[in-house]
């Protein structure tokens, strides 16, 4: 967090000078008025200027990277992080040596780390009434996993159409459940919905008889 103190004839003038110095917008900062302007004797002697303290809130990307780097430092790992914003999500892609340890079995470790990152970032953003959705990826693991899930969805759909019996998949995070829902949303013979409580919420693929809430 960057912080600056500025003075001006009015509070507004001091704030404007601070924003110009920091190169940010007013909605991206916290403002604390340290001193109100005060006119001295005859409006001339002892005139005191307004003084403000303006703090720039770290972006979701900065907060996330700071947390992740602290984790990697404790694990004695050197990891590079690249970011991209897409469809309302902040994607953080990580590369380095021995990254399999951060993925875990079927991405369980990666999902746990992603959960913690979102928790840390949104705890800090909540004071500003903001929210972020962050997805972590390691060397293209998410896209490979997406292809696997789409293939799984198609096979499960064929089984449900053949047997007429619903199939309950293993617990998945919201992002992966959405992949299954999207892959089968155009299927005229099956429907998908989710059941259970996080983090054990599962996708159900069933014959299309009645609708369920996703």
């Amino acid at each position: 967090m960057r912080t600056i103190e500025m003075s001006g004839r009015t509070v507004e003038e001091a704030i404007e000078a601070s924003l110009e110095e920091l190169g940010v917008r007013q909605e991206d900062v916290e403002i604390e008025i340290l001193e109100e302007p005060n006119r001295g004797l005859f409006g001339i002697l002892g005139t005191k200027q307004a003084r403000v303290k303006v703090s720039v809130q770290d972006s979701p990307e900065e907060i996330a990277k700071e947390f992740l780097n602290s984790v990697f430092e404790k694990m004695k790992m050197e990891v590079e992080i690249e970011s991209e914003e897409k469809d309302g999500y902040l994607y953080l892609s990580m590369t380095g040596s021995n990254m399999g340890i951060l993925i875990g079995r079927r991405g369980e470790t990666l999902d746990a780390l992603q959960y913690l990152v979102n928790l840390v970032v949104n705890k800090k953003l909540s004071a500003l009434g903001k929210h972020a959705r962050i997805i972590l990826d390691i060397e293209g693991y998410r896209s490979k996993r997406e292809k696997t899930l789409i293939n799984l969805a198609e096979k499960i759909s064929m089984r449900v159409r053949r047997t007429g019996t619903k199939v309950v998949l293993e617990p998945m995070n919201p992002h992966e459940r959405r992949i299954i829902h999207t892959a089968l949303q155009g299927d005229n013979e099956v429907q998908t919905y989710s059941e259970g409580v996080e983090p054990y919420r599962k996708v159900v693929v069933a014959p299309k008889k009645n609708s369920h809430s996703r």
Side-chain angles (χ1 to χ4, degrees), residues 6 8 27-28 35 50 67 79 142-143 163 183:
M6 296 288 281
E27 55 264 36
D28 297 325
E35 290 185 47
F67 171 75
V79 179
R142 293 291 186 197
S143 62
T163 64

Side-chain angles (χ1 to χ4, degrees), residues 26-88:
Q26 187 163 339
E27 55 264 36
D28 297 325
V29 301
E30 285 185 356
I31 299 170
E32 181 183 353
I33 300 175
L34 302 176
E35 290 185 47
E36 293 278 1
N38 183 23
R39 296 193 129 201
L41 186 62
F42 306 122
I44 301 175
L45 299 176
T47 299
K48 184 170 65 176
Q49 289 191 318
R51 192 160 63 92
V52 300
K53 180 179 179 181
V54 176
S55 302
V56 181
Q57 289 295 322
D58 291 334
S59 67
E61 178 184 343
E62 290 169 331
I63 299 170
K65 285 184 175 180
E66 182 180 358
F67 171 75
L68 288 170
N69 285 326
S70 69
V71 172
F72 300 147
E73 185 178 349
K74 290 175 182 176
M75 296 178 70
K76 293 180 170 53
M77 296 182 68
E78 291 187 7
V79 179
E80 292 187 9
I81 306 173
E82 294 185 357
S83 64
E84 178 186 13
E85 290 191 24
K86 185 172 63 176
D87 301 327

Side-chain angles (χ1 to χ4, degrees), residues 54-207:
V54 176
S55 302
V56 181
Q57 289 295 322
D58 291 334
S59 67
E61 178 184 343
E62 290 169 331
I63 299 170
K65 285 184 175 180
E66 182 180 358
F67 171 75
L68 288 170
N69 285 326
S70 69
V71 172
F72 300 147
E73 185 178 349
K74 290 175 182 176
M75 296 178 70
K76 293 180 170 53
M77 296 182 68
E78 291 187 7
V79 179
E80 292 187 9
I81 306 173
E82 294 185 357
S83 64
E84 178 186 13
E85 290 191 24
K86 185 172 63 176
D87 301 327
Y89 287 85
L90 172 62
Y91 287 81
L92 297 179
S93 181
M94 301 174 287
T95 57
S97 301
N98 195 28
M99 298 298 284
I101 191 172
L102 293 177
I103 297 175
R105 179 179 174 271
R106 293 185 180 175
E108 290 178 352
T109 303
L110 181 59
D111 287 342
L113 189 59
Q114 178 174 290
Y115 173 78
L116 290 174
V117 168
N118 278 275
L119 201 64
V120 169
V121 171
N122 285 303
K123 184 177 181 181
K124 291 192 175 184
L125 293 181
S126 62
L128 298 173
K130 296 182 179 181
H131 182 79
R133 295 183 295 179
I134 299 171
I135 293 178
L136 300 186
D137 195 9
I138 293 177
E139 297 177 343
Y141 171 80
R142 293 291 186 197
S143 62
K144 295 173 187 174
R145 176 67 171 162
E146 181 174 354
K147 292 177 183 176
T148 299
L149 290 173
I150 291 173
N151 289 334
L152 173 64
E154 292 171 350
K155 290 178 181 178
I156 295 299
S157 173
M158 291 176 61
R159 186 197 305 179
V160 171
R161 290 199 301 268
R162 185 177 68 251
T163 64
T165 304
K166 72 177 184 180
V167 174
V168 182
L169 303 182
E170 64 184 10
M172 296 179 186
N173 61 48
H175 180 66
E176 293 193 342
R177 292 200 307 271
R178 192 177 301 110
I179 292 172
I180 299 291
H181 291 314
T182 302
L184 297 180
Q185 67 181 1
D187 195 312
N188 294 323
E189 296 184 51
V190 302
Q191 61 180 334
T192 64
Y193 57 93
S194 297
E195 64 179 18
V197 179
E198 300 288 6
Y200 306 107
R201 198 159 168 77
K202 308 171 183 178
V203 172
V204 179
V205 183

